[in-house]
């Protein structure tokens, strides 16, 4: 379980009794209606993305008298902060985009409902199973604050290495199964006139992501837990040292596409899609981001970062980040309806619709199976399925963004030849140690 240090709680709402002589009416719950939803009550849904409203049809089908008209707006802060302050928030919110709400502040002010009751409720699809049993493992932790589930992050973002399936087929290249295989493939690509490996030097987090994934595949999940927890010497772990050395081989062997250190993400992706480079590290948002620029018959396909050798701790390990947090405000007028809406959102049918229409994967286990997906999203889905419980996650980048940026910058400098490996390790470890001693920064813990 992921725990965050105790956050200040807001004042408890007072309970107004309509009469002292009578007890409140008993709740009438059932597997079909676990939250005692008022079938006639309207539901106020505010979402920053269109797919956040996709559960409305399922909700209306079950509660035909309820008015549900999701409002889609990217201006969440402008629209909702006054409502939270006035004690009149919506019943459900999807919190993404440039104007996303500051979740830590809402939690601190006691504004978010405990969603554990949702996870423990019967599944929308199968009343014999709980909601949480239908979700992908390890992807709920990011929504826990001080051990309490305050948000439900709905989208499963898969990270890996992209390639052109048609380019590989034309040249007779196979997807590498180990890091030495990848280096050998890079040598073949270089001989064919390609810059084998391209990345966005302006955004070196992509390379840090590669290093951390390699480290976890080598040494297991505890390697990253120690990094998240700012444990002494975590960045000097042998698995991390081996991972940064392996990535450094790309530079030593001349396998980096020319100009990579100066490209931003769009520039590097354009070069890759023009078949000027053979491999690109990125998440599975790539297809949506570059829509319209992907050549026909390119065969955009992701493969997992290959392990350093044939005996890794996590052979099927895959970095997956849960994003797109949904929340139910504590002071929502129809809180029961908000919880029920999320239960519908976590159904197989709604999650499948989200994958089909938004071209993204969700945390609902198997919801994208059998769908007609693009080559790119299908490859990400298959990797996620194959990973099983070997999902790789870390949280320090969202907990301590300044530190994460410093670590990414050092990694970019290392790959560009500006730092020695020992300097990379020493610099990041020193920054982690300084952060740990800084009492002005709230610290978090991961079990």
């Amino acid at each position: 379980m992921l725990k965050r240090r105790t956050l200040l709680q807001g004042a408890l709402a007072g309970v107004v009794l309509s009469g002292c002589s009578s007890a409140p009416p008993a709740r009438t719950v059932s597997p079909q209606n676990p939250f005692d939803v008022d079938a006639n009550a309207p539901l106020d849904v505010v979402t920053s993305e269109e797919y956040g409203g996709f559960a409305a049809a399922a909700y209306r089908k079950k509660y035909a008298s309820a008015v549900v008209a999701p409002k889609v707006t990217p201006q969440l802060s402008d629209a909702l902060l006054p409502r939270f302050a006035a004690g009149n928030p919506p019943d459900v919110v999807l919190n993404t985009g440039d104007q996303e709400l500051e979740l830590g502040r809402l939690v601190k002010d006691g504004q978010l409902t405990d969603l554990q009751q949702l996870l423990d409720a019967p599944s929308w699809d199968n009343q014999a199973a709980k909601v949480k049993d239908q979700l992908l493992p390890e992807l709920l932790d990011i929504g826990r604050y001080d051990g309490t589930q305050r948000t439900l992050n709905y989208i499963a973002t898969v990270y890996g290495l992209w390639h052109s399936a048609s380019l590989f087929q034309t040249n007779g290249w196979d997807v590498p199964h180990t890091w030495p295989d990848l280096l050998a493939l890079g040598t073949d690509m270089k001989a064919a006139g390609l810059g084998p490996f391209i990345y966005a030097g302006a955004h070196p987090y992509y390379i840090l992501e590669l290093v951390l994934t390699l480290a976890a595949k080598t040494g297991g999940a505890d390697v990253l837990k120690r990094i998240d927890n700012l444990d002494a010497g975590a960045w000097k772990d042998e698995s991390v040292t081996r991972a940064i050395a392996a990535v450094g081989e790309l530079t030593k062997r001349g396998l980096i596409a020319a100009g990579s250190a100066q490209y931003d993400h769009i520039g590097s992706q354009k070069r890759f899609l023009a078949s000027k480079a053979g491999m690109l590290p990125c998440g599975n948002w790539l297809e949506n981001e570059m829509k319209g620029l992907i050549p026909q018959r390119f065969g955009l396909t992701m493969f997992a970062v290959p392990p350093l050798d044939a005996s890794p701790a996590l052979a099927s390990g895959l970095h997956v980040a849960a994003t797109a947090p949904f929340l139910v405000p504590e002071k929502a007028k129809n809180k029961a309806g908000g919880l029920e809406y999320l239960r519908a959102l976590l159904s197989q049918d709604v999650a499948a619709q989200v994958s089909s229409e938004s071209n993204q994967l969700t945390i609902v286990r198997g919801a994208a199976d059998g769908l007609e997906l693009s080559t790119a999203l299908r490859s990400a889905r298959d990797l996620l399925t194959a990973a099983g419980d070997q999902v790789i996650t870390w949280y320090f980048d969202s907990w301590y963004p300044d530190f994460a940026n410093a670590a990414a910058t050092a990694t970019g400098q290392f790959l560009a030849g500006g730092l020695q490996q020992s300097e990379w390790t020493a610099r990041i470890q020193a920054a982690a140690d300084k952060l740990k001693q800084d009492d002005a920064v709230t610290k978090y813990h991961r079990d």
Side-chain angles (χ1 to χ4, degrees):
M1 178 185 293
L2 182 69
K3 292 184 179 178
R4 305 193 181 203
R5 288 193 173 184
T6 302
L7 298 171
L8 297 176
Q9 302 297 318
L12 294 174
V15 178
V16 179
L17 301 178
S18 59
C20 297
S21 60
S22 61
R27 290 175 57 84
T28 54
V29 300
S30 67
Q32 295 82 16
N33 186 5
F35 309 117
D36 190 20
V37 173
D38 180 348
N40 298 307
L43 188 69
D44 187 356
V45 180
V46 177
T47 170
S48 48
E49 304 280 353
E50 184 179 2
Y51 67 79
F54 284 3
Y59 191 96
R60 284 193 295 262
K61 183 177 180 180
K62 185 172 183 179
Y63 304 102
S65 298
V67 176
V68 188
K71 179 182 179 181
V72 181
T73 175
Q75 310 299 324
L76 286 181
S77 292
D78 289 346
L80 298 187
L81 285 180
R83 294 187 60 182
F84 274 98
N88 182 37
D91 303 315
V92 182
V93 178
L94 169 59
N95 185 43
T96 63
D98 293 337
Q99 271 212 25
E100 64 185 10
L101 300 167
E102 186 180 346
L103 294 177
R105 173 59 59 181
L106 293 178
V107 172
K108 182 178 179 180
D109 292 342
Q111 293 277 15
L112 303 187
T113 295
D114 182 353
L115 298 182
Q116 190 61 46
Q117 56 192 314
L118 166 67
L119 299 178
D120 291 336
S123 163
W124 186 275
D125 301 305
N126 178 10
Q127 294 173 14
K130 294 181 178 181
V131 168
K132 63 184 177 183
D133 296 332
Q134 310 300 303
L135 308 181
L136 292 167
E138 304 296 331
L139 295 185
L140 296 173
D141 286 353
I142 191 63
R144 292 193 178 114
Y145 293 73
D146 193 27
T148 301
Q149 195 80 42
R150 298 297 183 184
T151 70
L152 188 135
N153 290 35
Y154 188 68
I155 297 297
T157 300
V158 176
Y159 289 79
L161 294 171
W162 292 99
H163 72 289
S164 164
S166 62
L167 181 67
F168 271 46
Q169 184 177 15
T170 298
N171 289 277
W173 295 330
D174 294 324
V175 169
H177 296 291
T178 65
W179 196 258
D181 291 342
L182 183 143
L183 296 176
L185 173 61
T187 300
D188 291 342
M189 289 179 170
K190 186 176 180 180
L194 275 73
F197 189 91
I198 195 167
Y199 68 98
H203 305 288
Y205 176 80
Y206 292 106
I207 299 302
L208 179 60
E209 187 277 333
L210 180 62
V211 173
L212 294 173
T213 301
L214 269 174
K217 295 191 79 158
T218 301
D222 285 348
V223 172
L224 298 180
K225 289 182 180 179
R226 291 193 292 271
I227 285 176
D228 281 343
N229 292 337
L230 303 177
D231 286 356
W235 288 88
K236 297 180 180 179
D237 185 282
E238 181 184 2
S239 297
V240 179
T241 301
R242 291 183 63 195
I244 189 65
V247 172
E249 285 295 315
L250 295 171
T251 298
K252 289 182 179 180
R253 302 189 185 201
L255 303 181
I256 302 294
S260 290
Q262 286 75 46
Y263 287 129
D264 64 7
H265 60 299
I266 298 298
S268 63
Q269 289 162 193
K270 284 182 176 180
R271 294 284 294 177
F272 167 70
L273 293 174
S275 294
K276 301 298 184 182
M279 294 175 281
L280 171 80
C282 193
N284 71 283
W285 64 81
L286 175 65
E287 182 179 25
N288 285 348
E289 188 170 66
M290 303 304 287
K291 188 176 181 179
L293 296 178
I294 302 172
Q296 289 187 352
R297 295 180 293 278
F298 185 83
L300 182 62
T301 307
M302 176 187 284
F303 64 87
V305 173
L308 295 182
D309 53 43
S311 57
L314 299 175
S316 301
L318 186 72
H319 178 207
V320 185
T323 61
F326 279 87
L327 56 94
V328 174
E330 180 65 23
K331 297 179 182 178
K333 187 175 182 180
N334 187 7
K335 184 162 64 173
L339 293 168
E340 184 75 340
Y341 184 87
L342 292 188
R343 197 166 73 99
L345 189 78
L346 294 169
S347 68
Q348 290 281 320
D349 286 346
V350 175
Q353 181 188 4
V354 171
S355 290
S356 294
E357 297 190 28
S358 74
N359 204 41
Q360 300 180 91
L361 300 174
T362 74
I363 65 170
V364 180
R365 190 194 305 270
D369 292 351
L371 298 180
E372 292 187 9
L373 303 175
S374 67
T375 299
L377 190 62
R378 186 170 65 248
S379 66
R381 178 202 64 190
D382 292 348
L383 288 175
L384 186 57
T385 299
D389 62 356
Q390 293 190 10
V391 169
I392 296 170
T393 58
W394 57 81
Y395 303 103
F396 74 90
D397 54 339
S398 58
W399 290 348
Y400 316 115
D402 290 342
F403 167 65
N405 288 337
T409 298
T411 306
Q413 291 173 345
F414 167 76
L415 199 61
L419 283 180
Q420 297 297 314
Q421 180 181 324
S422 59
E423 294 172 319
W424 178 89
T425 301
R427 178 181 295 186
I428 299 178
Q429 186 62 64
D433 294 341
K434 182 179 180 181
L435 172 62
K436 187 174 184 177
Q437 299 301 319
D438 187 350
D439 292 336
V441 178
T442 301
K443 305 304 189 304
Y444 306 113
H445 184 78
R446 179 182 178 189
D447 287 342

